[in-house]
Amino acid sequence: MSVPHSIALVFRGRALAAVGACWLLVVGIAAIGAPLLAPFDPLEFDPFVRLSDPGWPHLFGTDHFGRDSLSRAIYGARMAILIGSGSVLIALVVGGLTGMLSAYFVRLGHLLMRIVDVLMAFPALLLALVLMTLLERSVLNTIIVIGIVYATTTARIVFGMTLKLKRDVFVDAAICSGAGHASVLFRHILPNLLSPMLVQVSFIFAFAQLQAAALDFLGLGLPPEVPSWGNMLSEERIYVTRAPWLLIFPGALIILSVFSMNLVGDALRDNIDPRFKDDIAGV
Amino acid sequence: MTRPLLEVRELRTHFSIGRSGFMRRKSVLRAVDGVSFSIHEGEVLSLVGESGCGKSTVGRTLTHLETATTGSAVFDGRDILSLSPAEFRPLRRDIQMIFQDPFASLNPRLSIEQKLAEPLFIHRLVRDRSEARERIAATLELVGMDAESMSRFPHEFSGGQRQRIGIARVMILTPRLVIADEPVSALDVSIQAQVLNLLKRLQRDSGVSMLFISHDLGAVRHISDRIAVMYRGTLVETGEKRQIFETPRHAYTRRLLASIPRLEKRIA
Amino acid sequence: MALLDIRNLDLTIARGSELLPVVQGVSLAVEENETLGIVGESGCGKSLTALAVMGLLEGSAARIAGGSIHFQGRNLLALSPEERRRVMGDQMAMIFQEPMTSLNPVYRVGDQIKEAVLQHRSMSGRQAHDRALELLELVRIPDPARRIDSFPHQMSGGQRQRVMIAMALACDPKLLIADEPTTALDVTVQKEVLELVRSLQARTGMSIVLISHDLGVISETCDKVAVMYRGRIVEQASTSTLFSNMSHPYTLGLLGSIPATDHDVEWLDAIPGRVPTLDEAVPGCAFHPRCFAARGSCRTADPDAAAVSPAHIVRCHFPQGSSS
């Protein structure tokens, strides 16, 4: 099946999800083209235009350092995408391998899955907070921490799916052909996990945004000078009465993006292999 | 008489059911409980019985998909049950298995060529892709499929065609023993007949030995030389095909034969 | 007047924007106390026909496109859903292939039978319990007083199918439709279940429609047989006529495909090819690509149903047996 055809199939009859996908496209373009699209330098202070109202030339207004809010929001898209993809990558690789190997090698699984169970006993945000306090505030550390938090749920889901696939007759057939462990795991089981994991990706991506924004807001996420939507909220929260737009714009961006990702995730979920529908319930 | 190709002695495969754990008693399911039989070169032995009698477990144990509890299975002079997975791997080429469900036994993500090339490369039977393709084309033809079908994926085929592909995957390795676990019971009646004829012809032409596992007495009569009747984990009767069908000795065999629905009148 | 009279039933399935015919011009009649067998391979439309009679097509992709279904002289297709429900379960009942999934695993079998009884009869809980016990006895479940409190998973496949039959018989239906009732069962259990069904019929005088892919089961159980291929009835006759004078090449092929258990044959007379999928249009007779007797007109014209002898209808240009 061709890629455009599959995309059309996912979004057929789901106008809202299609709108969500379009919005994510806009965010993606903003992230890639940030240096060209942003009218000002997002880090440059301008003491003369502190807390100016939205208007020309500062469409989203300026913050209490006189930085252009729109430019910071555009660069914020970059952070959103970076944190989203980074943590998805870590969650998939770490969590996916843990889950797959645990399901395939039963003894190893007893050990690894108990560790996962312990980690899952903490609420996601609490776990992220604990890990962040142990580490320095940086973009990389934020990505690692959020990635690890979602690696636990990913491991659980992949564990369940691999257990099911392991019992499939085609795996028996491969073993009977003489396939070794590596071949069974990566050639026969892994490709069948990919499409349900794609659904998982969209949910992790969305929740990573919320997680990152929460960490930023609590002053434990990205370094304060980094333009991110979470930092924008955190830095300007004391001006909520004097300059509410400084909170409204980044807040709306977070809500819209997370909502869009969830819509796309739902649309993907409805189109995957029915065998795995029960496994994927969102993070 | 020559030494048999496979000689199974007192095979037992037990499963512990229910997870063993805190405050829980383990109970044991004796799926196969002391089964002995032998298969000679070029012979077809059928294992016939009703669901849950353990006949499939016998096949799965002989291919190391399940672990035997006790017993021996001497294949070509070596006890295959005592081999480690690594030691058994080279023997997999000689002992092949055909599965029941043609929809589940083919990985949906692999093309037919990928599927059939895999065992060839694992067992180093071909040097490169063009050699593999040649051999795949020849084997597909053998099972009555076009060579062009190798570039297609499992979902493009009907159940009968998929089972032919499953048979090709087995025959491409020129095994010495084929274990066929209910190979036709998931197929429609008219397709069953095609696949049974195909299996019989392939077996005759190649002289491969076969363990044919089935609940279908008609299919069993059509394909086998000898028959072993299994009931609750043990063999109640083993004998030549005619003897089993015409002068069954065990009460269970008689009950099984009496249960077959009769066609009102046969057209000659 | 026949108890069940299906005339020219057409069913279609919506595939994208197209409507594909799955059942075409099916006409069947079942008299009182008679057993009709419908035989055919998967996808031939036999189950959909039964679901159409039961008014259970809502759950499937198929819709009725034409024809009529008369039951006791009333056109079922003209009834309101409310009236239809009253007929179902009260006058007719259906049993399915999977005795495991047709029973709710969290309720005791006795309670499930009681519910079936209470849906159509107003009686006290005590009476319903007694009726459930009586039904379990009727379907020959050993020790019914104890088994009435069992859960489905505590019973064997054969016993679960007996429970399903008990539920179907809860209100003494006039017509029982059995869709592959013994396919999931072992032969020894199948024999017992079929014997049970026959003895129940002798006792209650109900009519049965038995759907099966197994000519042996049909031959042992039914008074008359309809053979279906790709949505059409290709041959229909009384069981004795059909098995002594098979006329349609497909019926002959089906019989030749079954390996005998009473004598040895070297090779089976298999039907070549496969059943065309729904969206593959076959010009002429739908069976001609697989037919050993196909000639000129088979490829161009769809044959009409014609009687080769009284009450023996064949849909074939060149019926076998009688002519040659």
Side-chain angles (χ1 to χ4, degrees):
Chain A
M1 214 185 321
S2 69
V3 174
H5 183 73
S6 344
I7 292 176
L9 209 68
V10 169
F11 292 109
R12 193 167 58 192
R14 293 170 204 285
L16 210 55
V19 171
C22 291
W23 170 252
L24 292 181
L25 201 65
V26 171
V27 173
I29 290 169
I32 294 164
L36 299 171
L37 294 169
F40 295 90
D41 183 337
L43 302 177
E44 194 189 12
F45 296 170
D46 186 350
F48 300 105
V49 290
R50 288 182 65 230
L51 300 174
S52 68
D53 290 353
W56 191 258
H58 300 287
L59 289 176
F60 280 16
T62 56
D63 65 12
H64 68 287
F65 289 125
R67 294 176 295 197
D68 179 46
S69 222
L70 176 63
S71 303
R72 284 183 75 73
I74 291 173
Y75 273 88
R78 199 166 241 209
M79 274 299 129
I81 301 278
L82 190 66
I83 288 180
S85 357
S87 31
V88 160
L89 195 72
I90 291 176
L92 281 195
V93 173
V94 177
L97 273 180
T98 308
M100 219 165 81
L101 295 177
S102 299
Y104 192 76
F105 300 106
V106 181
R107 274 163 196 272
L108 179 74
H110 279 314
L111 176 72
L112 286 181
M113 291 319 285
R114 289 305 82 75
I115 298 174
V116 169
D117 287 344
V118 169
L119 289 178
M120 282 185 82
F122 294 98
L125 184 61
L126 187 65
L127 182 60
L129 277 176
V130 171
L131 292 174
M132 263 336 272
T133 49
L134 300 175
L135 297 166
E136 211 176 307
R137 286 181 79 173
S138 78
V139 178
L140 185 65
N141 283 343
T142 309
I143 289 175
I144 291 175
V145 164
I146 297 175
I148 286 175
V149 168
Y150 288 109
T152 57
T153 44
T154 310
R156 264 267 153 238
I157 293 164
V158 171
F159 180 75
M161 290 192 297
T162 310
L163 275 186
K164 270 185 205 162
L165 285 168
K166 198 176 125 180
R167 281 194 296 266
D168 266 354
V169 187
F170 67 79
V171 171
D172 283 346
I175 292 172
C176 282
S177 299
H181 293 316
S183 169
V184 170
L185 273 171
F186 295 104
R187 199 177 143 81
H188 292 279
I189 292 181
L190 183 63
N192 286 289
L193 291 172
L194 289 182
S195 75
M197 283 328 287
L198 187 68
V199 180
Q200 197 57 24
V201 161
S202 65
F203 288 122
I204 297 179
F205 206 98
F207 283 92
Q209 303 305 320
L210 287 178
Q211 215 48 253
L215 285 177
D216 289 349
F217 192 79
L218 296 170
L220 282 167
L222 304 172
E225 70 280 5
V226 174
S228 77
W229 296 337
N231 271 347
M232 290 168 76
L233 282 178
S234 165
E235 298 241 298
E236 313 306 326
R237 63 179 184 273
I238 46 172
Y239 302 102
V240 64
T241 46
R242 245 182 89 188
W245 57 88
L246 288 177
L247 292 134
I248 289 169
F249 287 123
L253 286 173
I254 292 173
I255 291 169
L256 263 180
S257 304
V258 171
F259 189 51
S260 301
M261 286 167 203
N262 277 323
L263 285 173
V264 172
D266 282 338
L268 286 172
R269 173 165 58 194
D270 292 346
N271 277 280
I272 64 156
D273 194 335
R275 232 180 343 176
F276 297 123
K277 280 234 162 96
D278 302 336
D279 289 318
I280 296 170
V283 184
Chain B
M1 207 170 188
T2 52
R3 204 173 57 176
L5 177 69
L6 174 75
E7 184 152 25
V8 178
R9 284 279 157 264
E10 286 298 309
L11 176 68
R12 285 188 165 77
T13 308
H14 297 173
F15 299 108
S16 56
I17 38 180
R19 209 186 286 207
S20 60
F22 187 58
M23 302 273 282
R24 270 207 207 139
R25 210 162 46 98
K26 235 190 216 181
S27 60
V28 172
L29 174 74
R30 297 165 190 272
V32 180
D33 206 21
V35 162
S36 304
F37 60 86
S38 57
I39 304 177
H40 287 265
E41 296 270 3
E43 187 187 44
V44 181
L45 174 76
S46 280
L47 208 50
V48 68
E50 295 181 293
S51 56
C53 73
K55 56 188 191 301
S56 289
T57 311
V58 171
R60 293 177 60 87
T61 309
L62 293 175
T63 48
H64 274 223
L65 289 172
E66 310 290 355
T67 312
T69 312
T70 59
S72 68
V74 177
F75 177 82
D76 200 21
R78 295 167 78 188
D79 180 11
I80 51 172
L81 297 182
S82 64
L83 299 179
S84 74
E87 289 170 323
F88 184 65
R89 258 176 86 187
L91 273 171
R92 288 203 180 275
R93 186 197 157 182
D94 293 327
I95 305 174
Q96 280 287 308
M97 186 144 172
I98 299 172
F99 294 90
Q100 171 178 0
D101 187 345
F103 289 88
S105 58
L106 297 176
N107 188 337
R109 307 262 160 195
L110 295 182
S111 73
I112 304 312
E113 183 189 342
Q114 288 173 308
K115 189 75 237 171
L116 293 185
E118 183 180 36
L120 289 177
F121 285 109
I122 288 173
H123 296 284
R124 302 209 167 82
L125 300 177
V126 290
R127 275 178 312 242
D128 53 32
R129 190 161 171 224
S130 71
E131 206 180 318
R133 288 177 67 100
E134 244 170 67
R135 193 143 164 188
I136 293 168
T139 312
L140 283 174
E141 211 155 294
L142 201 65
V143 299
M145 305 266 304
D146 290 335
E148 291 98 77
S149 45
M150 77 170 87
S151 58
R152 291 157 66 189
F153 285 83
H155 69 260
E156 298 173 60
F157 295 99
S158 68
Q161 290 170 313
R162 287 184 205 210
Q163 198 55 300
R164 284 171 192 268
I165 295 165
I167 294 169
R169 195 182 55 80
V170 160
M171 295 310 289
I172 202 165
L173 288 170
T174 56
R176 298 174 64 193
L177 173 67
V178 169
I179 297 171
D181 187 3
E182 300 269 11
V184 297
S185 56
L187 305 174
D188 268 325
V189 180
S190 73
I191 309 298
Q192 274 188 10
Q194 295 174 3
V195 174
L196 278 177
N197 277 344
L198 173 69
L199 276 174
K200 194 169 180 174
R201 185 170 56 74
L202 289 175
Q203 192 274 328
R204 291 257 177 103
D205 293 352
S206 66
V208 67
S209 305
M210 195 186 299
L211 178 63
F212 187 85
I213 300 169
S214 179
H215 71 279
D216 181 340
L217 290 152
V220 162
R221 175 152 198 166
H222 184 63
I223 205 155
S224 6
D225 300 312
R226 284 193 305 130
I227 293 168
V229 183
M230 199 162 170
Y231 179 66
R232 294 196 175 174
T234 57
L235 293 186
V236 296
E237 186 168 3
T238 308
E240 296 295 318
K241 165 164 69 173
R242 297 209 126 198
Q243 181 260 308
I244 295 281
F245 274 94
E246 279 153 29
T247 51
R249 294 197 189 103
H250 196 277
Y252 176 71
T253 314
R254 283 199 288 271
R255 189 153 79 90
L256 206 56
L257 290 172
S259 303
I260 308 168
R262 301 279 161 198
L263 289 163
E264 195 143 296
K265 189 183 166 191
R266 286 258 162 204
I267 308 290
Chain C
M1 186 184 64
L3 178 74
L4 177 71
D5 194 0
I6 304 174
R7 295 256 171 91
N8 288 319
L9 184 70
D10 288 329
L11 301 178
T12 54
I13 276 186
R15 182 74 58 79
S17 53
E18 293 176 277
L19 284 177
L20 303 170
V22 278
V23 167
Q24 295 177 64
V26 162
S27 298
L28 289 167
V30 187
E31 306 292 334
E32 306 254 344
N33 201 16
E34 187 182 53
T35 304
L36 165 75
I38 306 181
V39 68
E41 297 178 279
S42 56
C44 73
K46 57 191 193 298
S47 293
L48 283 176
T49 305
L51 290 176
V53 174
M54 291 299 294
L56 294 174
L57 284 180
E58 277 74 34
S60 74
R63 293 292 171 266
I64 294 169
S68 67
I69 303 173
H70 281 84
F71 181 73
Q72 292 178 318
R74 290 205 293 176
N75 187 359
L76 293 180
L77 301 183
L79 296 182
S80 72
E82 187 51 45
E83 291 170 308
R84 190 82 192 257
R85 256 196 300 282
R86 226 172 298 139
V87 176
M88 263 171 54
D90 199 12
Q91 306 285 326
M92 53 168 100
M94 185 161 178
I95 52 178
F96 297 89
Q97 179 178 339
E98 311 87 9
M100 189 67 224
T101 48
S102 314
L103 286 170
N104 191 333
V106 301
Y107 296 111
R108 293 174 199 280
V109 294
D111 294 335
Q112 299 193 50
I113 301 174
K114 267 192 258 175
E115 197 189 324
V117 173
L118 288 171
Q119 249 163 24
H120 295 274
R121 298 272 191 280
S122 56
M123 54 170 80
S124 71
R126 188 70 238 166
Q127 283 170 309
H129 183 271
D130 291 344
R131 174 76 178 137
L133 207 59
E134 188 186 309
L135 285 165
L136 283 177
E137 224 161 293
L138 192 69
V139 296
R140 298 186 207 143
I141 287 206
D143 196 3
R146 204 165 57 81
R147 294 311 257 171
I148 198 166
D149 290 325
S150 298
F151 286 97
H153 67 89
Q154 294 167 323
M155 307 183 112
S156 69
Q159 285 181 325
R160 284 197 290 265
Q161 193 59 286
R162 284 165 198 267
V163 171
M164 288 309 299
I165 295 172
M167 283 169 72
L169 297 181
C171 302
D172 304 310
K174 287 262 181 297
L175 175 70
L176 177 70
I177 300 180
D179 187 0
E180 302 267 11
T182 58
T183 304
L185 305 177
D186 284 321
V187 271
T188 49
V189 183
Q190 163 171 291
K191 188 181 163 80
E192 291 163 12
V193 170
L194 290 177
E195 271 166 10
L196 169 71
V197 170
R198 268 194 303 264
S199 75
L200 289 173
Q201 181 178 32
R203 194 161 147 175
T204 62
M206 65 182 170
S207 306
I208 297 174
V209 175
L210 179 72
I211 296 168
S212 180
H213 68 281
D214 187 334
L215 269 180
V217 168
I218 296 274
S219 152
E220 280 210 332
T221 324
C222 301
D223 301 314
K224 58 185 189 185
V225 188
V227 183
M228 285 185 78
Y229 184 75
R230 241 205 149 204
R232 285 185 182 283
I233 293 176
V234 293
E235 185 161 9
Q236 190 174 3
S238 73
T239 309
S240 55
T241 310
L242 186 90
F243 282 91
S244 59
N245 190 19
M246 283 196 177
S247 296
H248 199 283
Y250 176 67
T251 320
L252 284 161
L254 217 47
L255 188 69
S257 296
I258 304 169
T261 49
D262 51 3
H263 63 280
D264 289 310
V265 284
E266 188 67 12
W267 301 107
L268 298 171
D269 294 325
I271 308 173
R274 58 181 176 81
V275 181
T277 57
L278 266 185
D279 40 10
E280 285 175 89
V282 182
C285 169
F287 186 61
H288 89 258
R290 306 178 71 191
C291 181
F292 62 84
R295 282 168 264 183
S297 52
C298 299
R299 298 184 183 90
T300 49
D302 199 1
D304 288 323
V308 289
S309 66
H312 184 182
I313 297 159
V314 181
R315 192 182 282 272
C316 180
H317 289 301
F318 307 104
Q320 303 297 304
S322 48
S323 56
S324 58

